[in-house]
Amino acid sequence: MRPLIAGNWKMHGLAPQLDDIEAIAASVKATPPFADILICLPATLIARAVQTAAGRIAIGGENCSAEVSGAFTGDISAEMLKGAGASAVIVGHSERRQHHDETDAIVAAKAKAARRAGLLAIICVGETKSQRLAGKALSICGDQIAGSVPESMTASALAIGYEPLWAIGSGHMPTSKEIAEMHGHIRQCLVARLGTEGKDVRILYGGSVQPSNARDILSVPEVGRALVGGASLKARDFEAIIGAVPTKA
Ligand code: PEP
């Protein structure tokens, strides 16, 4: 399981910001990282970013439709992302679950579509602050894995982003112990759902990962991987996070 550092630009980025993709690709060329590097972008930037990245970093989408094609105005299929040069897609990000009412069943259908198109599906799960305070974090994330991960998924086609909702963009995050406990639990849930394939699925921690805390987070047992929002928007910050990947991971 090679580590994976993935960026999520959300609804940010116009053409001038492709300079950051170019800078990250150049730094990856100069200092090959101990991880696969992926940046998930708004669909409008994907084709140009793929050209700019020149194969040095992978480019992904942030969402896809479950359908292949049809009368779904405004939607983008996994096949279209693949055709634009993407190799991965985030599905079930909490912002989509929250603002677009995406249920576990919808997320599972999108993950299946990603697999059908040959994209890595990064399925996000995570609890709210009140769920954590009520002692329900493990069961909430376990239920999301059971409902969102299709049984047919293989380890190479899937990654899980554990993103506590209250840690996203907030500067607050769980303790290392809590992250390790959750990642261990997610691993058990993946093995229960996928059998031995579940042992090799990459689990990424996401939520306020910054250059200042990346080394600590990435050395937590069962972590070693990250999904990065805000800090992926600036080449220098993202490069610092990439540089924090433990060399033995
Ligand atoms: C995200 O939304 O995927 C995320 C991890 O955001 P941030 O790093 O800004 O908390």
Side-chain angles (χ1 to χ4, degrees), residues 8 10 90 93-95 124 163 167-171 205-210 227-231:
N8 170 19
K10 311 192 183 198
I90 298 171
H93 190 281
S94 61
E95 288 153 15
C124 294
E163 300 205 313
I168 293 178
S170 67
Y205 170 77
S208 293
V209 177
Q210 298 289 331
L227 181 53
V228 183

Side-chain angles (χ1 to χ4, degrees), residues 4-249:
L4 172 63
I5 302 295
N8 170 19
W9 277 21
K10 311 192 183 198
M11 200 172 76
H12 296 290
L14 295 169
Q17 273 159 282
L18 290 169
D19 290 352
D20 286 279
I21 300 288
E22 194 172 2
I24 295 163
S27 109
V28 161
K29 185 183 176 205
T31 314
F34 297 95
D36 294 332
I37 309 302
L38 165 72
I39 304 190
C40 297
L41 296 172
T44 47
L45 288 179
I46 289 175
R48 281 174 288 171
V50 168
Q51 299 271 317
T52 306
R56 298 199 176 98
I57 52 180
I59 301 296
E62 300 175 7
N63 176 44
C64 67
S65 167
E67 307 294 335
V68 179
S69 61
F72 303 102
T73 303
D75 284 347
I76 294 177
S77 69
E79 284 76 6
M80 290 170 176
L81 293 177
K82 179 84 176 175
S87 54
V89 63
I90 298 171
V91 292
H93 190 281
S94 61
E95 288 153 15
R96 300 234 28 117
R97 290 180 186 260
Q98 198 181 339
H99 304 308
H100 299 269
D101 297 326
E102 290 191 4
T103 60
D104 286 340
I106 292 172
V107 175
K110 291 183 175 201
K112 272 190 196 163
R115 172 129 202 252
R116 181 187 69 216
L119 298 176
L120 171 76
I122 303 178
I123 300 179
C124 294
V125 300
E127 82 285 357
T128 63
K129 188 74 184 177
S130 59
Q131 288 165 338
R132 177 157 283 277
L133 292 175
K136 293 183 180 157
L138 297 181
S139 66
I140 292 288
C141 293
D143 289 350
Q144 288 175 343
I145 295 281
S148 311
V149 175
E151 280 179 47
S152 56
M153 234 40 187
T154 59
S156 59
L158 174 66
I160 300 294
Y162 165 55
E163 300 205 313
L165 274 62
W166 51 277
I168 293 178
S170 67
H172 301 291
M173 55 171 57
T175 62
S176 297
K177 192 165 165 249
E178 287 167 336
I179 297 173
E181 180 188 40
M182 180 61 84
H183 279 227
H185 178 65
I186 290 174
R187 175 72 59 212
Q188 283 174 14
C189 295
L190 287 169
V191 171
R193 185 122 188 98
L194 305 176
T196 50
E197 286 292 320
K199 289 185 186 169
D200 290 331
V201 173
R202 295 186 281 190
I203 307 171
L204 286 61
Y205 170 77
S208 293
V209 177
Q210 298 289 331
S212 55
N213 58 24
R215 199 165 293 279
D216 287 345
I217 292 168
L218 292 169
S219 37
V220 172
E222 271 285 4
V223 184
R225 298 154 188 93
L227 181 53
V228 183
S232 69
L233 284 163
K234 288 211 172 71
R236 190 170 293 197
D237 287 350
F238 198 54
E239 284 161 25
I241 292 170
I242 292 169
V245 175
T247 52
K248 63 172 177 45

